[in-house]
Amino acid sequence: VTYESIPARVLSPIEDSLRDAVGCGVVGSTSRDVKLLGDYFGEMKSAPEAIIWGTSMRACAPLAAAANAAAVHAWDFDDTVMPGIVHPAGIVVSTGLAIAEKSAAPVNGKEFLTAVVAGYEVANLMSAALGGRDWRVKGFYNTVPVIFGAAATAGRLLGLDKAQFVAALGMAATQASGLYSATMTKRLNAPKAVQGGIFAAELALRGYEAPLDGIGDEQGFLKTFSQIPQWDVIPRDIGQYAFEVYHKAYPCIRSNQPAIYAARLLQDKHADEVKPEHI
């Protein structure tokens, strides 16, 4: 993939997602669960490669990006990609910025955007191949397939060749995890995807071996995680950018957005009829 080959209909909303992710991350960095993670990572005294947003602390790229991914996802305000039904921004953008910050040489803006687009494309493809909306009923959280997006973004910025990319995806497959939970644990899924994606790309760069068939094999990612795997989605849609990006107006699950908007319209229309005793 090259920057020039990416259609404007894809670049424009992802450029918005970059800004949106940073905004969500700055706000989310004040939440209690993100502070717990950030302080924990900061105490590890790792290499000061990238900033933990909202603080003066620096950490190695996997840990800084993990804290930042948790911040972006902290208030359910980050973007959604369909038909994969994944939240890629917190994971992909945090990964890209940390790798770019760590880089010894400046990262060109177009190259950065290309890496982010690659992350979105791969994350959506992997989720759609799992079964999309139908797959989610199993209980896995929708950050599970975005580890592949993190690996793709990091791998692109690190300059992996074809064989190294295959290895990175194989290592991402063996690290994919995450269950839905209405506790702080939900916020741990995005950081784990970031860490796993960066580990996969950086280990691949160093020659770490991984399965060549870690995605579609009988014991691979798709059949392990899904009872309705749809492998054909990947060769059919790869490079087609067959996804749409949705940005949230309100900090809640996407399906609740229309109801909140309707309530606000009613509130504005009938504001003069609302009396104090009604509130």
Side-chain angles (χ1 to χ4, degrees):
V1 59
T2 63
Y3 178 83
E4 290 72 24
S5 70
I6 303 169
R9 66 171 177 80
V10 174
L11 273 176
S12 181
I14 290 183
E15 287 174 353
D16 288 339
S17 287
L18 283 170
R19 291 183 282 267
D20 187 62
V22 173
C24 290
V26 171
V27 173
S29 68
T30 64
S31 68
R32 180 169 175 260
D33 51 313
V34 174
K35 286 184 175 179
L36 287 171
L37 279 174
D39 289 347
Y40 175 56
F41 293 153
E43 289 169 7
M44 290 184 179
K45 307 297 182 186
S46 61
E49 295 171 338
I51 193 75
I52 296 177
W53 299 349
T55 77
S56 59
M57 294 186 294
R58 299 182 70 83
C60 64
L63 296 185
N68 298 338
V72 177
H73 194 51
W75 299 112
D76 278 319
F77 223 158
D78 44 334
D79 68 6
T80 302
V81 164
M82 304 287 282
I85 320 180
V86 289
H87 301 303
I91 295 168
V92 170
V93 173
S94 298
T95 295
L97 287 174
I99 294 294
E101 198 172 352
K102 172 186 177 179
S103 174
V107 175
N108 177 279
K110 290 183 177 180
E111 189 62 26
F112 180 81
L113 274 171
T114 302
V116 170
V117 170
Y120 270 64
E121 169 78 331
V122 172
N124 177 71
L125 283 171
M126 293 306 302
S127 182
L130 284 168
R133 186 184 302 276
D134 294 330
W135 165 75
R136 293 185 66 200
V137 301
K138 291 190 67 175
F140 293 113
Y141 193 50
N142 56 11
T143 53
V144 170
V146 189
I147 187 173
F148 294 94
T153 297
R156 174 74 191 212
L157 290 172
L158 291 170
L160 300 189
D161 61 26
K162 182 177 179 179
Q164 291 168 333
F165 256 115
V166 171
L169 293 176
M171 281 184 271
T174 198
Q175 297 179 86
S177 64
L179 303 177
Y180 183 85
S181 169
T183 67
M184 284 186 183
T185 303
K186 179 186 177 186
R187 312 302 182 202
L188 197 58
N189 292 327
K192 287 294 291 180
V194 166
Q195 284 182 302
I198 293 177
F199 287 167
E202 293 197 321
L203 285 171
L205 186 64
R206 288 160 173 76
Y208 205 89
E209 294 182 359
L212 301 180
D213 53 1
I215 295 173
D217 186 63
E218 282 297 319
Q219 294 180 312
F221 172 76
L222 292 179
K223 290 194 175 182
T224 299
F225 273 78
S226 177
Q227 294 176 344
I228 50 169
Q230 299 174 27
W231 166 258
D232 60 304
V233 168
I234 298 174
R236 183 193 73 197
D237 289 348
I238 192 166
Q240 302 300 314
Y241 307 106
F243 62 81
E244 293 184 63
V245 182
Y246 293 87
H247 298 105
K248 296 180 180 179
Y250 310 102
C252 65
I253 192 169
R254 180 174 168 268
S255 57
N256 288 347
Q257 302 282 315
I260 296 173
Y261 180 64
R264 293 193 65 180
L265 288 178
L266 287 170
Q267 183 183 47
D268 293 343
K269 184 176 180 180
H270 301 286
D272 57 337
E273 301 173 21
V274 179
K275 302 184 185 304
E277 59 266 28
H278 297 154
I279 301 176

